[in-house]
Amino acid sequence: MSRLDSHLEAALERVTRAGQRRTLRATTLLPGGRIERAGRTMLDFSSNDYLGLARHPLLVERSAEWAARDGSGSGSSRLVTGTSAAHLALEARIAEFKHCEAALIFASGWQANAAVIPALLAAIPGVAVFTDRLIHASMHAGIAMAGVRQHRFRHNDLDHLETLLAEKGADAPARLILTETVFSMDGDRADMRRLADIAERHDAALFVDEAHATGVLGPEGRGLSALVPGKVDLVMGTFSKALGGFGAYVAGSRVLIDYLTNAASGFIFTTAPPPAVLGAVDAALDLLPGMDAERAHLAALGDRLRAGLARLGLDHGASSTQIVPAVIGPEDEAMALSARLEAAGFLASAIRPPTVPAGTSRLRLALRAGHSEADIDALLAAIESVTGSGR
């Protein structure tokens, strides 16, 4: 019993009354787009293992091989004794993969954004920051830690961005635009070519989060930043989604990476990622160039799912990727639909505020390369059955 418990119980009760209490439930990721929970095997439409690499034999083998060779831990932070030859070699591979001069590995995507953004803003006093309203919470957190005001443009409204740049950024010593290339709750894309053009015309730096694009989109899965080579100043992405592993990277100029090595507190004061994590990433980078068929399959599944949701009268927004929302609206209705689908053998997690705006609670349907067209059709049939949609 802690002296804090009474206060924490009261706070939890407020969360519960708001219908927003969350709990942890044990699950096991399986091949073939499946997952196990409470002893049941279900079709999985909630995980971010887009290419099915989390259980790929090569990743498992190399992870074990590197752990056997170099041990289970890295021993220290990178600036003490934690940097190994494997860290440096993997960062060189990531830089080449992203067509950048250099890269830096972080323990997670959240850590990368929350550490890099305040470090970057500290180096540019008076910088004007422009953000898409729907950027990830970790990016908002990084800006808040820096104590810098952000100018938010309407989601993917680049006309609004241009207006704000002209009104708020013209007299600033520097301008920084932050966006995601694929938005994690909506599955839509940023227009990278126009963003790069806007950044160039307004002399603004461009910071993009490729967490949900890395491995899936762009030539050889290099992300949407690869569509505008040399025009993105900082690219962040993760290894924990399509790459089937754990951790994150930041890539950019050599000067940028040298600066972050000296200024990003979340890098400086964190133990380095262990050998097993590095081995899995290394194996994933070997596989990605040869996975065009899996990427095409994911795209086709997304089209099939969106067409089916439209037939059922369910809004899927502007999704054009492997992430497809089925927007329900009220939180209780989204939660109830998710529960009914789980009872029918489909894991389709409900996403609600504060993760998404009020009134837009949804099923966030995430596709995996192991899914078949029959799996998509089965999900659509289940949604129709439990909702009466399309009748």
Side-chain angles (χ1 to χ4, degrees), residues 160-175:
H160 188 210
L161 170 61
E162 289 221 68
T163 298
L164 289 176
L165 281 163
E167 292 178 352
K168 310 291 186 181
D171 297 328
R175 287 144 295 282

Side-chain angles (χ1 to χ4, degrees), residues 90 105 155 198 340:
L90 188 57
I105 296 170
H155 176 51
I198 289 170
R340 289 196 294 270

Side-chain angles (χ1 to χ4, degrees), residues 345-367:
F346 300 85
L347 191 61
S349 297
I351 306 296
R352 49 199 165 132
T355 306
V356 295
T360 70
S361 292
R362 66 198 64 185
L363 302 183
R364 177 191 181 271
L365 303 173
L367 302 176

Side-chain angles (χ1 to χ4, degrees), residues 90 127-128 130 168 254 272 278 310 327 331 361 373:
L90 188 57
V127 61
F130 302 87
K168 310 291 186 181
R254 180 74 262 173
L278 305 182
V327 181
E331 293 179 45
S361 292
E373 290 184 351

Side-chain angles (χ1 to χ4, degrees), residues 51 93 96-97 215 219-222 283-295:
L51 294 176
R93 287 201 72 181
E96 188 278 330
F97 178 67
E220 298 186 325
R222 295 174 191 268
L285 291 173
D286 283 350
L287 294 170
L288 285 183
M291 300 191 75
D292 284 346
E294 287 83 355
R295 286 185 278 270

